[in-house]
Amino acid sequence: MSADTVISARKLTKRYGDVLAVDRLDLDVRRGEIYGFLGRNGAGKTTTIRMLLGLIHPSKGEVRVLGHLADGGDTGWLGRVGFLVETATAYPNLTVWENLEIQRRLTGSEPDAVRRVIDQLGLDAYADRRAGRLSHGNLQRLALARALLHRPDVLVLDEPTNGLDPAGIVEIRKLLRSIADEHGVTVFMSSHILPEVAHLADRVGVIGGGRLLEELSRKELFERARTLVESKYTEEQRAEALLSMQLERYFLQVTGGVA
């Protein structure tokens, strides 16, 4: 594992009885990059993430995060990781501010951390609203705020834009790009939506059937899509929509199924 590698997986395998959820997966995520982990539902994305965070033990292989074995006895490295896995949750009878204040005290974050993440995630209008009354999209924002509260070195996100409207997706995209570029945070994000990953990630790993099928840089991904279409559109939005369609077609070709 090189000094520039933040997340490393070697022959990572997870089996549930007769079901092989993750199959001999090798992975290297570099410091300060946004890595898009792309696959259809059931491809093995969440199982992989749970092993990266030490939430479940691999059947074979190993994972190292920040140089530490994810399923080893030392858990101190988790304090340098922020994460959102599967469903966003919160204490429903507490306000957004109260939920974040509890997290701040648990992580020992600075006194102004709650204000900082509320501003980052656009939650100011909801700060005094009980979490149980939030829309799904704003609950997702709250979960992201909790993950960012302690200024992590690594951010692991499972479908981070799930439930957000188009404007919210653009805001989260800008936020993730800024924390990677300006603060050197490594972002590992999974998604089943190829255009969203393609417009944000520095590199994209395509997973299917629990195996890493292909890995490409953003430039390589768009070049691959451009070989499939010659566009005569001049309007930026229409051209982007057409390219997105071709990216989806490429995704289906690689994974061999329906997204």
Side-chain angles (χ1 to χ4, degrees), residues 1-207:
M1 181 174 175
S2 71
D4 196 43
T5 301
V6 173
I7 299 173
S8 174
R10 291 291 176 267
K11 305 300 180 186
L12 190 62
T13 302
K14 184 62 179 180
R15 182 182 291 277
Y16 295 100
D18 295 331
V19 177
L20 188 59
V22 177
D23 184 13
R24 295 169 293 170
L25 187 144
D26 288 337
L27 195 65
D28 286 290
V29 181
R30 303 163 191 153
R31 189 177 308 278
E33 75 171 341
I34 298 179
Y35 188 95
F37 199 45
L38 180 71
R40 295 177 291 150
N41 292 331
K45 302 189 302 296
T46 299
T47 300
T48 300
I49 284 176
R50 291 174 70 84
M51 286 190 284
L52 295 183
L53 295 171
L55 299 176
I56 58 175
H57 297 290
S59 302
K60 292 181 180 179
E62 70 171 34
V63 179
R64 288 186 178 271
V65 180
L66 296 166
H68 300 270
L69 276 173
D71 63 340
D74 177 19
T75 58
W77 59 273
L78 279 171
R80 300 168 59 192
V81 177
F83 57 89
L84 168 58
V85 181
E86 298 181 294
T87 306
T89 59
Y91 297 108
N93 293 322
L94 299 182
T95 66
V96 166
W97 188 284
E98 289 166 343
N99 269 278
L100 291 171
E101 178 60 21
I102 289 174
Q103 186 76 4
R104 185 195 71 79
R105 294 183 184 188
L106 288 172
T107 58
S109 302
E110 70 272 19
D112 65 345
V114 173
R115 169 50 58 192
R116 170 175 51 83
V117 295
I118 281 180
D119 290 342
Q120 280 184 318
L121 275 297
L123 285 167
D124 190 66
Y126 308 96
D128 296 323
R129 182 174 298 185
R130 291 185 180 184
R133 296 179 57 199
L134 294 175
S135 67
H136 181 74
N138 282 324
L139 188 61
Q140 192 79 355
R141 289 173 185 266
L142 174 56
L144 281 168
R146 290 174 62 186
L148 288 167
L149 196 66
H150 59 295
R151 298 185 186 273
D153 296 319
V154 180
L155 192 58
V156 179
L157 305 172
D158 192 8
E159 305 279 359
T161 58
N162 183 33
L164 297 177
D165 58 25
I169 290 173
V170 172
E171 290 174 7
I172 297 303
R173 184 191 298 175
K174 290 179 179 178
L175 171 65
L176 295 180
R177 187 74 267 170
S178 69
I179 65 172
D181 292 345
E182 297 172 19
H183 302 287
V185 176
T186 303
V187 180
F188 182 93
M189 58 172 287
S190 77
S191 181
H192 65 281
I193 305 173
L194 189 148
E196 181 58 35
V197 170
H199 284 92
L200 179 62
D202 299 304
R203 287 191 299 142
V204 176
V206 182
I207 183 174

